[in-house]
Amino acid sequence: MPKVLIADKINEKGIEVLEDVAEVVNNPTITPEELLETINEYEGIIVRSRTKVTREVIENAENLKIIARAGVGVDNIDVNAATEKGIMVVNAPQSTSITVAEHAMGLMLSLSRKIAIADASVKAGKWEKSKFMGMELRNKTLGVIGMGRIGSQVVKRSKAFEMDVIVYDPYITEETAKSLGVEITTLEDLIERADVMTIHVPLTPETKGLISKEQLLKMKDNAIILNCARGGIINEADLYEVLKERPELKAGLDVYENEPLEDSPLTTLDNVVLTPHIAASTKEAQRDAAIIVAKEVKHVIQNETPTNVLNMPLVDSETFQKLKPYFHLSEKLGQILVQTTTPNISEMNIIYGGNVSGRAKEPLTRELLKAFLNPILTEPVNSVNAKSVAQQRGIEITEGETDNTKHDALMKIDIKYDDKKMTITGIIENNTPKVISIDDYSLNMIPEGKMGIIKYIDLPGTIGTIGKILGDYKINIAEMQVGRESEGGEAVMVLKVDQELSENAIKDLENTEDIIEVKAVTL
Ligand code: NAD
């Protein structure tokens, strides 16, 4: 049975998922030295944040297929090193969505009903009923910035409070907005209309400082702003200044520009509720994270496709089924290219047509590169590292799309190698991959078995000479197709043969006048 290491303490429900498919070694106190020494034994490792999966560890991990983080952040994993080595890195981003959404609701109620400050007052021996006049959430406008996993859970919960929801998220579609019954608007409009504003976007160069003094000053009287996403999305110094000037405004924060929060003036304000980055901390989230990543590990050790791979773009399983023949086509074209050119490729341009477009391109390109690079490299190349290995080898890869095809699915690959060029075009017909051209010569051949690709000058007798030489070597031609530029010009012959083209047969063919190049291909 494959071995899986649990290197940090995870919920036992996760361990149970793996018990019947792997030998699980549960060592949540493993030291960095022990990890380095033993990692070679494992196909999978599950960590939380304690264990550091460094480049050194990854370089020693000859059998490792998957590194799983039972949680969200992967700062403790060298994802680049894993990618280079072809190891998948997975996490469980969905495990905390409800937990964080509930925390946002908690902060919202705490501020709208002044719960935290009232609690402190009662505990200080006071009874200041009139000081804590609150605000109902019913019929108030909730502005959600970022409606991804967490944002949409906040939307659902706010509906139970009879709130009206407006959303700012330039990346979601009208349909998603409709299905959740929300109105999409601009950031400016949201800030001006929201009674409660809650942030659920990732921290990116675009969202850093998204809310600063200018925006905060435009907030409605009595409005509440919440940040359970990442520190830095709200400019903290500006927030302090505005909250101090406008005590009727309120803020609830779980995340900060610098954590842990030290000597922050925000802690001196009554109109702020602060929690120490605990929005994702519930037992349920930890249990779910353990189960989710254990299932991912189980999939990978059983050679199935996981869903949350961080270092490889994935398609959902329905699309994957639809794309299966195209993966097959990609693989065959990659194999033909590697056997007919040299590894010195400098450029590869892949054009997709028909229904192979959009997100499907990326996994197909990886499949092509995998088939192309695997035979020429000693390190294993897989869908995770195919692109980074190609880039390390200096291959410039471009991908494009064309509408100009009558075929359901088309892949046209142009490569530059040494000082030469090659073009190959493949299609899917009746779920079967076919090569329809090599360079400018039209063909119609299912790429399979033992083949020969011969470039020659289209003169009377050349085809006969080829047949004769192959006959001399007892190589039987099962199928033959020829394509030519023009009469008497360059032509290509693609043969399917029952016996492989031997080195001597190739040499004899190449020594024949009018034969330009001969390549043997086995698929
Ligand atoms: P997600 O990727 O599912 O959703 C993010 C949403 O933000 C997407 O819909 C995206 O379209 C939108 N978005 C991206 N850039 C935007 C922009 N410039 N303006 C408006 N919208 C934009 O992410 P998620 O899982 O919902 O997480 C949301 C945030 O919560 C992240 O910052 C994450 O790191 C944070 N988080 C915090 C905790 C915690 O402990 N406090 C725990 C988990 C996640």
Side-chain angles (χ1 to χ4, degrees), residues 330 333-334 348 350 364-372 413:
S330 274
L333 297 180
M348 182 179 274
I350 311 153
L364 293 177
T365 298
R366 284 170 184 264
E367 190 69 22
L368 173 77
L369 292 169
K370 186 175 94 178
F372 178 77
I413 304 146

Side-chain angles (χ1 to χ4, degrees), residues 202-219:
L203 178 66
T204 63
E206 201 190 351
T207 61
K208 192 169 184 328
L210 187 72
I211 307 292
S212 56
K213 196 168 178 180
E214 187 193 337
Q215 288 77 27
L216 292 164
L217 287 174
K218 288 186 186 145
M219 281 167 63

Side-chain angles (χ1 to χ4, degrees), residues 10-18 287 290-291 294:
I10 67 161
N11 187 288
E12 59 197 39
K13 294 273 175 221
I15 302 175
E16 281 169 22
V17 169
L18 285 163
R287 177 204 58 206
I291 295 173

Side-chain angles (χ1 to χ4, degrees), residues 100 148-150 169-171 200-202 206-207 228-230 254 277:
V100 177
R149 283 178 292 253
I150 298 170
D169 187 330
Y171 304 108
H200 302 289
V201 293
E206 201 190 351
T207 61
C228 289
R230 281 287 175 263
D254 183 54
H277 204 146

Side-chain angles (χ1 to χ4, degrees), residues 4 35 49-51 131 164 168 258 264 285 338 375 416 445 515-516:
V4 173
L35 180 65
S49 51
R50 185 195 71 98
T51 298
K131 195 174 162 191
D164 298 321
Y168 168 63
N258 294 306
S264 168
V338 70
K416 277 195 189 156
M445 182 162 283
I515 293 183
I516 305 164

Side-chain angles (χ1 to χ4, degrees), residues 263-304:
D263 302 326
S264 168
L266 286 168
T267 56
T268 64
L269 299 177
D270 276 350
N271 48 345
V272 180
V273 172
L274 307 173
T275 52
H277 204 146
I278 53 162
S281 306
T282 58
K283 284 194 177 139
E284 291 80 1
Q286 284 187 3
R287 177 204 58 206
D288 291 352
I291 295 173
I292 289 167
V293 294
K295 283 186 179 162
E296 297 281 49
V297 173
K298 183 175 172 176
H299 282 137
V300 170
I301 59 181
Q302 294 186 323
N303 290 324
E304 287 164 19

